[in-house]
Amino acid sequence: MRLVFPNPGLDNRILSHEDLDRMEKEEGDRPKWDNKTQYMLTCVGFCIGIGNVWRFPYLCQTHGGGAFLIPYLILLVLEGMPLLLLEFAIGQRLRKGSVGVWRAINPYLTGVGIASMLVSLLVGLYYNTLIAWILWYLFNSFQDPLPWTQCPLNDNGTGFVPECQRSSTVDYYFYRVTLNSSTSIADSGGIHWPIVLCLLAAWTVMCVCYIRGIGTSGKAVYVTAILPYIVLAIFLIRGLTLKGSLSGIKFLFTPDVNELINPKTWLDAGAQVFYAFSLAWGGLISFSSYNPVHNNCVQDAVILTAITGFTSIYAATVTYTIIGFRATEKYDTCISDNILTLLNAFDLPEDNITTSNYETALNHLNSSYPDTVLGLDIKTCDMQTLLSEGVEGTGLAFIVFTEAITKMPGSPFWSVLFFVMLLCLGISTLFGNIEGVVVPLKDLNLLPKKWPQEAVTGVTCAVAFIICLLFAQHSGLYWVTLFDNFAGSVPLLTIGLFEMIAVVYIYGIDRFNEDLEYMVGHKPGIFWQVTWRFISPLIVLVILVFYMVTQTQEELTYLVWDPNSEQFPSLALVPYPSWINAVVFLLAGVPSLAVPVYALYALDCICLHSRFVVSFVCLGLCMFRQKM
Amino acid sequence: MLWKVLLLLGLSSAWAQKLCSPGASDGYKVRLSINSALGDQAYVWNENEMFLFRATLAFAMRTYSDGQEYDVANVVVCDETPRVSFWFVVTSPLDASLLVDKRRVEEAVRKSRSRINSAFLLTDDTLEFIGIPPTLEAPVAPDTPPWLIAFGVVMGGVGAGIVVLLVSSVVQKIRKKRDGEEETGGKTENEAASDAIYNMSFSDDEPVTQM
């Protein structure tokens, strides 16, 4: 006997197989993909995002290089692929968006769809801000020399602005010129209008690409999904011809098998797989619902998994050729500077000390004149440190890569190419995102039914733009990091877990198997059965529990750009203000709790409901305050 | 007589050497990095090059200082090192024992820096006057920021795209409505015509049955 919760009335809420066959022949008004390629490219574009370029290479390198691929690929197959097929199949079978699907399975489960919509909305907001920053850099790449190669002069023209002098031109350009960062998240400092214009551009581009739903976005993906691969190939060829690229690749892939014993490696691999597949956002369910009923979704899931795995490794390789090049350049400059300092101090002829005899010369001088050498302040040039600095997140794209590009001949061309690639990666992910917001809004009847798709898209983009002005403040960078850490982590894992439980134990795994047999022609094999029922939910549960435990134990801190701090030019680690706990609860708690809260609301526990919700909120806040 | 002249020359050069010393209050240290600047094309630093330096500096003092007739002899050099660095002081053309003030020398060097650099095929970084920072070139700032142009192009394109898509949707809807109306209008006409035929045949039957 299978463990299935009683689910009366399920047959009344969903279309039967005969209905589906009939609908296949009729010309319905539900949107459809023009061809299979469009669907696959949309899914590929959704899954392959900016995280593949700036999150996976960092994880790979810090968790033992080549050895990280083992947990990553294992979890890709055991955790990612089953959930992927689950979302594909349920969307294709029930022919509805995320809210519609869960509502059809059981009205008490509508909360899962609502949670997906909230998460898609919150993530979409900060993701499009990243797109706005990318657009800013793209617009500024059409000039030679690039603006982040030069420091502005100070008032009397004898030197550079001290903030730029003490850090670097690229740091200054990102933190001061682009964002005009304040020193704390509480210090909003007003709106920075260049970012407002870029946000406007980002949301308008999204609006025009999605204005007719998948009708327009399906055409746009031909460019946004394919162009990144071409650009990565160009960068790979360019990168391999640069000096020092191979040291970067070696650094990336050098395996450290000891990392496999570290549980954090497996946790990070699992979390990365989960986010890489854009699971639990609701977009994949929507996209699959536009497929013909007999589309082979099993094959699609396997192909998409393979493409994601391959692209992650491919992007990581390209990224680390460029990082290796930059580190080598900085190392060479460091050594040359030290050589010059020594030559100047001891008035030796220029070719006395070269890069080859630097070490011996330094030791000789140190032993003969230790005091003088000490007073010279010789910098230690360490290749490993240079290879590991700033290689994650926004730091990678806007600081490390921009600096590397300035050292390549023909910098504006490479800069334009790089930011166009990031733009395409981001936009194609946002298509799935906006699908996961707009379709539930229509299903929940929050927008009038008679509005055409264009009006729905336009209103959604306009409202989202206004909310995004939060990120256009001087403290915008800190808000983006906050959203990144909390809106996109715990809620997604929670929703994923609920999805699996809902399909396997509430919809019924037997019924699901029959559906797949009807759609694809054969029942899913033993691998799928085992992973759907036990392995994948277990993995997600373990990751979720560990995440929550580590998050609640750590003190909430963040990195700020503060020219007056002692660690400048490194970012300073400061604690969050106390009111941030309420914001974190809103970002992470509300979507996660949407499932149980909605279920209780639907059970007509009205008098209990409001008191329950209020007391729950208070409990949550008390927990966080106590933890402080 | 000859020995008096020789003594005077010796004394004056010794005096001049006394004026110039490392760390002199009115002198500056100069450092050249010829190898790093020119690589294979580097020239050897020798007495002739030093003569050129003294002449260039005299030129700078003549043109940008008080206009007096400075000569090569007025630029005194000392403490040469293999690094190719040395100290120099400038003596007044009127009185060889008097040093020209530091600030006047600095001003003259600053104003003629590019001439001095180009005489030696070097740059501000490779021909250093320690204590005289080079006036930095301001970064190139065009009148219209280029990013606004790119932004304008993108927004224009996107705006045009939105307008085109909206207009085409509206046109499609109007066309669909018009096609729908034509169909229903045609149907009613056909029905009226068949009714008329039917009535005619009915009225034809009447006289036959009456008989």
Side-chain angles (χ1 to χ4, degrees):
Chain A
M1 274 304 289
R2 301 275 182 265
L3 173 65
V4 178
F5 291 114
N7 197 355
L10 180 61
D11 288 309
N12 300 335
R13 292 191 296 265
I14 62 176
L15 298 162
S16 68
H17 292 179
E18 295 77 32
D19 291 333
L20 285 175
D21 274 327
R22 195 173 30 86
M23 274 175 61
E24 263 305 280
K25 302 193 182 65
E26 286 173 11
E27 189 61 46
D29 61 348
R30 191 174 172 76
K32 282 206 302 235
W33 297 111
D34 289 344
N35 48 47
K36 181 76 181 278
T37 321
Q38 225 179 49
Y39 167 64
M40 284 309 288
L41 283 179
T42 308
C43 288
V44 166
F46 189 22
C47 295
I48 308 294
I50 308 184
N52 287 80
V53 170
W54 75 30
R55 177 90 183 129
F56 175 78
Y58 165 75
L59 285 176
C60 195
Q61 180 269 309
T62 46
H63 286 297
F68 181 74
L69 292 178
I70 298 175
Y72 183 72
L73 291 173
I74 289 177
L75 288 172
L76 201 72
V77 168
L78 287 180
E79 178 202 350
M81 203 158 69
L83 248 178
L84 198 63
L85 178 57
L86 195 113
E87 293 207 352
F88 279 170
I90 204 76
Q92 197 171 303
R93 167 67 180 90
L94 297 179
R95 331 275 317 149
K96 290 207 164 67
S98 63
V99 163
V101 156
W102 305 116
R103 189 165 45 194
I105 292 181
N106 195 314
Y108 296 132
L109 286 178
T110 318
V112 178
I114 296 177
S116 286
M117 178 186 78
L118 288 173
V119 167
S120 287
L121 178 67
L122 290 172
V123 172
L125 289 174
Y126 87 81
Y127 210 86
N128 219 4
T129 312
L130 297 174
I131 302 287
W133 296 349
I134 292 170
L135 275 175
W136 164 261
Y137 271 83
L138 178 63
F139 292 154
N140 275 292
S141 303
F142 292 100
Q143 46 186 300
D144 193 15
L146 294 168
W148 50 87
T149 51
Q150 301 159 320
C151 270
L153 296 180
N154 61 11
D155 293 327
N156 52 6
T158 50
F160 297 118
V161 169
E163 190 180 353
C164 193
Q165 185 77 23
R166 290 164 63 200
S167 58
S168 72
T169 53
V170 277
D171 279 318
Y172 181 81
Y173 191 76
F174 180 57
Y175 290 108
R176 186 57 52 215
V177 177
T178 309
L179 300 174
N180 203 1
S181 315
S182 59
T183 53
S184 136
I185 196 171
D187 179 15
S188 87
I191 303 274
H192 193 49
W193 68 269
I195 296 296
V196 174
L197 288 183
C198 292
L199 274 171
L200 182 68
W203 280 111
T204 329
V205 166
M206 277 315 298
C207 188
V208 83
C209 286
Y210 193 74
I211 199 161
R212 283 206 207 129
I214 62 165
T216 38
S217 77
K219 311 281 188 302
V221 284
Y222 284 112
V223 172
T224 62
I226 297 182
L227 190 64
Y229 285 94
I230 300 177
V231 173
L232 279 173
I234 298 175
F235 264 101
L236 183 66
I237 299 171
R238 173 75 264 216
L240 287 173
T241 56
L242 292 169
K243 180 184 172 208
S245 54
L246 291 172
S247 57
I249 297 184
K250 235 191 321 187
F251 185 66
L252 172 69
F253 286 125
T254 312
D256 178 9
V257 195
N258 297 326
E259 281 285 339
L260 290 179
I261 311 170
N262 182 5
K264 189 129 198 326
T265 307
W266 291 84
L267 283 171
D268 279 340
Q272 176 61 20
V273 164
F274 200 84
Y275 305 137
F277 275 132
S278 308
L279 295 163
W281 287 22
L284 287 173
I285 300 180
S286 271
F287 287 146
S288 304
S289 69
Y290 305 132
N291 269 333
V293 163
H294 294 289
N295 174 48
N296 191 346
C297 43
V298 180
Q299 201 184 51
D300 292 344
V302 174
I303 292 176
L304 195 61
T305 308
I307 292 178
T308 308
F310 159 73
T311 310
S312 297
I313 300 172
Y314 176 45
T317 314
V318 176
T319 309
Y320 266 84
T321 54
I322 307 293
I323 290 176
F325 160 69
R326 170 189 173 268
T328 312
E329 281 278 316
K330 288 198 94 149
Y331 180 77
D332 286 344
T333 316
C334 183
I335 298 277
S336 314
D337 284 345
N338 284 350
I339 291 178
L340 201 65
T341 321
L342 286 173
L343 289 175
N344 290 347
F346 293 103
D347 281 324
L348 304 163
E350 273 180 284
D351 31 11
N352 219 354
I353 309 180
T354 59
T355 43
S356 38
N357 64 357
Y358 168 70
E359 284 292 322
T360 41
L362 179 63
N363 289 334
H364 169 78
L365 287 168
N366 209 0
S367 44
S368 339
Y369 312 97
D371 296 326
T372 338
V373 174
L374 203 65
L376 287 175
D377 194 23
I378 304 274
K379 289 194 275 284
T380 32
C381 306
D382 181 25
M383 196 60 175
Q384 299 291 95
T385 330
L386 287 170
L387 281 168
S388 20
E389 62 179 24
V391 291
E392 183 199 15
T394 49
L396 174 67
F398 299 118
I399 295 179
V400 168
F401 246 85
T402 44
E403 188 174 11
I405 284 172
T406 57
K407 299 194 183 356
M408 293 191 223
S411 332
F413 170 72
W414 298 109
S415 182
V416 168
L417 210 59
F418 174 65
F419 287 111
V420 163
M421 174 186 80
L422 284 187
L423 188 69
C424 288
L425 285 170
I427 286 184
S428 52
T429 308
L430 274 173
F431 287 154
N433 215 310
I434 205 172
E435 175 84 16
V437 172
V438 165
V439 172
L441 280 177
K442 289 205 292 202
D443 281 347
L444 289 169
N445 297 327
L446 288 173
L447 294 170
K449 267 208 170 6
K450 52 184 169 64
W451 278 13
Q453 174 71 35
E454 290 90 346
V456 171
T457 312
V459 165
T460 313
C461 288
V463 170
F465 167 67
I466 292 172
I467 304 177
C468 267
L469 291 178
L470 169 75
F471 302 117
Q473 299 172 315
H474 292 176
S475 52
L477 171 67
Y478 312 129
W479 284 100
V480 169
T481 322
L482 183 72
F483 270 61
D484 190 18
N485 287 338
F486 293 106
S489 54
V490 169
L492 286 173
L493 291 165
T494 324
I495 298 170
L497 194 61
F498 277 123
E499 281 187 4
M500 280 191 281
I501 295 173
V503 170
V504 173
Y505 299 109
I506 301 182
Y507 184 73
I509 189 71
D510 288 332
R511 185 186 282 263
F512 194 59
N513 285 331
E514 277 169 24
D515 286 335
L516 268 162
E517 200 175 355
Y518 161 71
M519 288 194 292
V520 171
H522 58 85
K523 201 171 140 182
I526 188 75
F527 166 77
W528 302 107
Q529 305 302 326
V530 173
T531 46
W532 280 332
R533 272 177 246 199
F534 310 114
I535 299 185
S536 304
L538 192 65
I539 294 176
V540 174
L541 184 65
V542 165
I543 296 174
L544 179 64
V545 166
F546 265 94
Y547 238 67
M548 292 195 63
V549 164
T550 45
Q551 291 277 40
T552 43
Q553 273 182 350
E554 285 172 4
E555 201 200 328
L556 293 175
T557 55
Y558 67 118
L559 296 164
V560 294
W561 176 259
D562 187 0
N564 299 324
S565 84
E566 289 153 1
Q567 298 106 321
F568 192 78
S570 301
L571 297 171
L573 198 70
V574 296
Y576 274 117
S578 47
W579 51 265
I580 222 71
N581 292 318
V583 179
V584 168
F585 181 74
L586 270 175
L587 291 177
V590 166
S592 314
L593 292 173
V595 182
V597 165
Y598 189 89
L600 290 166
Y601 168 75
L603 281 166
D604 279 334
C605 304
I606 299 175
C607 50
L608 274 173
H609 152 252
S610 45
R611 238 186 291 160
F612 190 79
V613 167
V614 167
S615 56
F616 218 81
V617 170
C618 286
L619 187 67
L621 283 172
C622 287
M623 265 167 41
F624 280 113
R625 216 177 296 139
Q626 244 181 21
K627 192 183 57 65
M628 271 210 34
Chain B
M1 192 54 205
L2 185 63
W3 68 266
K4 266 196 207 155
V5 171
L6 284 170
L7 184 63
L8 266 173
L9 273 173
L11 274 175
S12 65
S13 65
W15 198 308
Q17 288 308 330
K18 253 218 197 114
L19 291 169
C20 170
S21 58
S25 54
D26 281 321
Y28 282 103
K29 181 167 180 179
V30 180
R31 191 188 294 143
L32 289 95
S33 311
I34 308 173
N35 285 23
S36 40
L38 301 170
D40 290 332
Q41 318 271 338
Y43 48 81
V44 179
W45 186 260
N46 53 23
E47 281 300 314
N48 301 338
E49 305 283 347
M50 184 57 86
F51 181 81
L52 177 61
F53 176 81
R54 291 162 69 200
T56 323
L57 214 60
F59 159 78
M61 292 302 294
R62 273 198 199 198
T63 327
Y64 294 110
S65 192
D66 44 17
Q68 293 175 35
E69 299 242 326
Y70 289 89
D71 198 4
V72 179
N74 291 120
V75 181
V76 183
V77 164
C78 57
D79 194 37
E80 278 191 64
T81 66
R83 172 69 180 83
V84 191
S85 71
F86 48 84
W87 281 82
F88 76 91
V89 289
V90 182
T91 59
S92 165
L94 305 166
D95 184 358
S97 57
L98 223 58
L99 289 179
V100 175
D101 187 47
K102 193 175 176 107
R103 281 170 298 213
R104 295 231 308 268
V105 176
E106 177 178 337
E107 193 189 321
V109 165
R110 233 203 213 122
K111 285 192 183 150
S112 58
R113 192 62 188 267
S114 53
R115 295 293 292 271
I116 302 177
N117 284 351
S118 52
F120 290 95
L121 308 173
L122 297 173
T123 65
D124 282 343
D125 291 326
T126 42
L127 171 57
E128 299 165 76
F129 285 82
I130 315 290
I132 308 181
T135 4
L136 302 158
E137 263 184 54
V140 179
D143 295 324
T144 357
W147 74 269
L148 272 179
I149 301 174
F151 172 76
V153 166
V154 165
M155 288 301 280
V158 164
I162 292 181
V163 166
V164 162
L165 285 169
L166 286 176
V167 163
S168 67
S169 309
V170 168
V171 163
Q172 256 179 17
K173 253 184 227 153
I174 294 177
R175 214 176 279 161
K176 225 188 272 183
K177 217 189 279 180
R178 208 184 318 136
D179 282 343
E181 275 177 14
E182 276 180 16
E183 257 187 53
T184 48
K187 235 185 260 173
T188 46
E189 265 185 30
N190 280 337
E191 276 173 18
S194 57
D195 276 346
I197 295 170
Y198 179 77
N199 281 335
M200 292 295 226
S201 52
F202 183 69
S203 58
D204 268 340
D205 271 342
E206 272 259 283
V208 177
T209 43
Q210 263 190 359
M211 278 220 13

